[in-house]
Amino acid sequence: MSELEKQLRDLHEQWRKKWTMIQAIIVCVLAFLTLIAGFTFAGIKKNTYVPYVENGNVIHRAYLGDNEFYDENYLNGTHAYVASLIDSMTADFSYDLEMAATDVRFQYIYRVDAQIEIKDKASNSPVFNPVETILPTTTKVAEGKSLSIKELITLDYNKYNSIAKNFVDSYNVKNTENTLIVRMHVDVVGMSESFTKDSTGEYVIELYVPLLENTVKPSVSTTIPAGVQVIVAKDTTVQTVFMILSIVFGSITVLGAAWLFIFIVFTRNKHIYYARKVKNLATNYKAYIQKILDDYDTTGYQVIRVAEFTELLEIRDTIRQPIFMYENDDKTATKFFIVTCVNSIHIYEVKVEDDPEGEAEYKLKPFILFVAASWEKTKAFVKKVCHHIKAFIVKLYRAIKAFVVKLFTKSNPLDSQEPQEIPEIQEPEEPKEPQEIQELKYPASNNKNRKNKNLVRKNAKKGAKNKTIIRQ
């Protein structure tokens, strides 16, 4: 083995080990990232909570009837009102919500109702409390971080005052507290894909207006839902990210491992196969083999070569002699031999050339055949599809071409006709001019026919002249 071949062998082994190590490290890193993404996806909390802050208020006004004391048309909430001067009242409800998260889609539901509450002062229990719907249930959607609701409600104070007075007078109810309560109920529910429809309760804004009193001083209160003001959410965004990462990293890891296996197998050469075979024999039968540094002189011995190493093991078991192992300096051949007492030596030799066909190709032959067959089927299918597409395109082109030709042909029927000469402007001296025009229409492919026609035309002219002379 030359020095150049040794250098090339060593370079190939170094290159193979280097890239095998690099690819193995990459596959291990990808596998580690796949495990991290998978465990994170499995262990992440499904439920998260989005806190929010909500505020509500109502501004009330009393519009006055005709009187000689007030110049204003209405009195705002800082005044106490004389009940007999009230013509109507307005309640301007406002509700504001601020979310801790951004870009959230909300569904909110609200309604407004009015309740006449007549309750016994002694027991503080309601005696009469009918409810009237002023604004029916309204469902809307707001997207973003905040929410704002404003509704202006007009109240017929005298109507509610009359209902309460009729009830008290009809049943002679005494010692009662009579109030008109106007409420706005607001319920906010997250309805985006990452939120569950979970309501923590209604936020209620209340306006209290006394009834059956000479003077009226309304008051405002709000009822905040019990518990923490949060929306229970299933934030699947983070989960989806880690799920996608785990799938991507896992797929790349599988492909990388497959590529590493193919790289390892296909980059083997005869030297690597030889080294692996010798190493396996020396490792598996280490107890029976003794390595020697110098080659054994076989002069005077009968050399018997065996085909398999197992035959050498049978001989060793029979004569109870050790198996010697010697590898040459070029590391291209190794001898395993047994020396007998009858001047014979049994040798099993492993050489670099012992793998002419290649172990890699043999082991991967089924895989290669499968890939080749699949590729041939794929090519046939693609070819068939391309053929159908090509045929369709040709048919479509021909149809479009025929349509265009037909369209332009029928656009003006007069254009396809030859121009006709007007008889009045034709000269009498040239009666054969239409014939000449018709002659031009013949194809000029046959020169001999055209020359013959010209001779016939000249002879006809000469004959006409001769006739004219004779007549004269």
Side-chain angles (χ1 to χ4, degrees), residues 95 106-112 136-141 147 149 184-189 197 199 201-203:
Y95 172 85
F106 290 99
Q107 176 183 343
Y108 60 96
I109 305 168
Y110 66 95
R111 71 182 189 279
V112 179
T137 301
T138 304
T139 303
K140 291 185 179 181
V141 173
L147 171 66
I149 304 173
M184 181 179 188
H185 307 261
V186 183
D187 189 10
V188 179
V189 180
K197 292 188 176 182
S199 174
E202 292 183 337
Y203 186 92

Side-chain angles (χ1 to χ4, degrees), residues 19 46 65 81 83 85 105 121 124 173 199 225 244 254 267 292 371 374 413 421 441:
W19 284 104
K46 295 183 178 180
Y81 314 136
L85 295 179
R105 198 175 179 212
K121 290 183 178 180
N124 199 27
V173 181
S199 174
I244 294 173
V254 172
T267 53
I292 59 177
V371 172
S374 301
E421 294 184 357
K441 292 182 182 179

Side-chain angles (χ1 to χ4, degrees), residues 60-78:
H60 53 85
R61 292 178 179 176
Y63 287 84
L64 306 177
D66 296 335
N67 65 88
E68 57 183 11
F69 299 100
Y70 292 97
D71 296 330
E72 300 89 344
N73 292 329
Y74 63 88
L75 298 177
N76 55 30
T78 59

Side-chain angles (χ1 to χ4, degrees), residues 49-257:
Y49 301 90
V50 179
Y52 61 91
V53 178
E54 53 187 346
N55 295 297
N57 193 20
V58 57
I59 299 174
H60 53 85
R61 292 178 179 176
Y63 287 84
L64 306 177
D66 296 335
N67 65 88
E68 57 183 11
F69 299 100
Y70 292 97
D71 296 330
E72 300 89 344
N73 292 329
Y74 63 88
L75 298 177
N76 55 30
T78 59
H79 289 77
Y81 314 136
V82 178
S84 58
L85 295 179
I86 297 175
D87 181 49
S88 64
M89 294 183 65
T90 60
D92 190 2
F93 287 93
S94 61
Y95 172 85
D96 297 295
L97 178 141
E98 191 75 17
M99 289 288 297
T102 58
D103 297 332
V104 180
R105 198 175 179 212
F106 290 99
Q107 176 183 343
Y108 60 96
I109 305 168
Y110 66 95
R111 71 182 189 279
V112 179
D113 56 41
Q115 180 182 24
I116 299 175
E117 186 179 66
I118 300 175
K119 62 180 180 179
D120 182 33
K121 290 183 178 180
S123 61
N124 199 27
S125 299
V127 178
F128 181 62
N129 55 353
V131 178
E132 177 188 10
T133 300
I134 298 178
L135 182 66
T137 301
T138 304
T139 303
K140 291 185 179 181
V141 173
E143 188 171 357
K145 187 179 179 180
S146 59
L147 171 66
S148 181
I149 304 173
K150 294 186 180 297
E151 289 290 345
L152 181 62
I153 305 299
T154 301
L155 303 173
D156 188 352
Y157 175 79
N158 294 323
K159 182 186 76 170
Y160 298 111
N161 204 33
S162 298
I163 293 173
K165 188 175 185 307
N166 289 337
F167 180 82
V168 171
D169 291 343
S170 298
Y171 298 100
N172 195 21
V173 181
K174 304 293 184 182
N175 195 25
T176 57
E177 183 178 350
N178 312 302
T179 310
L180 172 64
I181 307 173
V182 184
R183 298 186 181 93
M184 181 179 188
H185 307 261
V186 183
D187 189 10
V188 179
V189 180
M191 61 170 298
S192 65
E193 292 183 358
S194 59
F195 284 84
T196 57
K197 292 188 176 182
D198 182 88
S199 174
T200 57
E202 292 183 337
Y203 186 92
V204 183
I205 309 168
E206 298 175 317
L207 173 64
Y208 292 87
V209 183
L211 298 174
L212 305 180
E213 300 287 346
N214 292 329
T215 59
V216 177
K217 178 58 179 175
S219 60
V220 177
S221 69
T222 57
T223 303
I224 301 174
V228 184
Q229 292 175 292
V230 294
I231 288 181
V232 181
K234 286 186 177 178
D235 192 356
T236 58
T237 304
V238 178
Q239 282 185 309
T240 304
V241 170
F242 279 102
M243 181 184 67
I244 294 173
L245 288 177
S246 60
I247 293 174
V248 171
F249 286 145
S251 303
I252 297 175
T253 302
V254 172
L255 294 176

Side-chain angles (χ1 to χ4, degrees), residues 186-359:
V186 183
D187 189 10
V188 179
V189 180
M191 61 170 298
S192 65
E193 292 183 358
S194 59
F195 284 84
T196 57
K197 292 188 176 182
D198 182 88
S199 174
T200 57
E202 292 183 337
Y203 186 92
V204 183
I205 309 168
E206 298 175 317
L207 173 64
Y208 292 87
V209 183
L211 298 174
L212 305 180
E213 300 287 346
N214 292 329
T215 59
V216 177
K217 178 58 179 175
S219 60
V220 177
S221 69
T222 57
T223 303
I224 301 174
V228 184
Q229 292 175 292
V230 294
I231 288 181
V232 181
K234 286 186 177 178
D235 192 356
T236 58
T237 304
V238 178
Q239 282 185 309
T240 304
V241 170
F242 279 102
M243 181 184 67
I244 294 173
L245 288 177
S246 60
I247 293 174
V248 171
F249 286 145
S251 303
I252 297 175
T253 302
V254 172
L255 294 176
W259 171 255
L260 178 60
F261 171 75
I262 295 173
F263 175 81
I264 291 173
V265 173
F266 274 96
T267 53
R268 291 175 184 169
N269 56 16
K270 57 185 180 180
H271 297 281
I272 295 174
Y273 171 72
Y274 158 78
R276 287 181 64 251
K277 190 171 184 178
V278 171
K279 184 179 178 181
N280 289 336
L281 291 174
T283 303
N284 295 334
Y285 304 102
K286 183 178 181 181
Y288 308 138
I289 296 174
Q290 293 181 4
K291 294 182 181 180
I292 59 177
L293 300 178
D294 298 323
D295 194 6
Y296 194 82
D297 188 6
T298 59
T299 304
Y301 287 89
Q302 181 185 2
V303 178
I304 302 173
R305 299 184 180 276
V306 297
E308 298 293 338
F309 186 80
T310 54
E311 298 178 9
L312 205 62
L313 289 175
E314 293 175 358
I315 297 171
R316 180 258 170 202
D317 294 336
T318 302
I319 64 176
R320 299 294 178 180
Q321 292 293 329
I323 300 175
F324 295 100
M325 171 185 170
Y326 171 74
E327 186 176 19
N328 63 1
D329 296 335
D330 293 339
K331 297 184 181 303
T332 57
T334 300
K335 293 180 182 178
F336 297 90
F337 59 92
I338 297 175
V339 181
T340 65
C341 58
V342 292
N343 292 335
S344 64
I345 183 168
H346 299 266
I347 299 175
Y348 173 74
E349 191 172 7
V350 180
K351 295 181 180 180
V352 171
E353 292 81 9
D354 285 349
D355 185 32
E357 295 181 357
E359 185 189 26

Side-chain angles (χ1 to χ4, degrees), residues 417-456:
Q417 298 180 0
E418 295 182 357
Q420 299 179 357
E421 294 184 357
I422 302 174
E424 287 77 10
I425 63 173
Q426 290 181 351
E427 296 181 2
E429 291 80 10
E430 298 178 358
K432 294 183 180 182
E433 192 170 348
Q435 267 187 350
E436 293 180 0
I437 294 174
Q438 291 177 1
E439 293 291 339
L440 291 175
K441 292 182 182 179
Y442 289 100
S445 59
N446 195 341
N447 294 328
K448 291 183 179 181
N449 294 334
R450 187 168 60 181
K451 289 180 180 179
N452 294 331
K453 291 177 182 179
N454 291 334
L455 290 174
V456 171

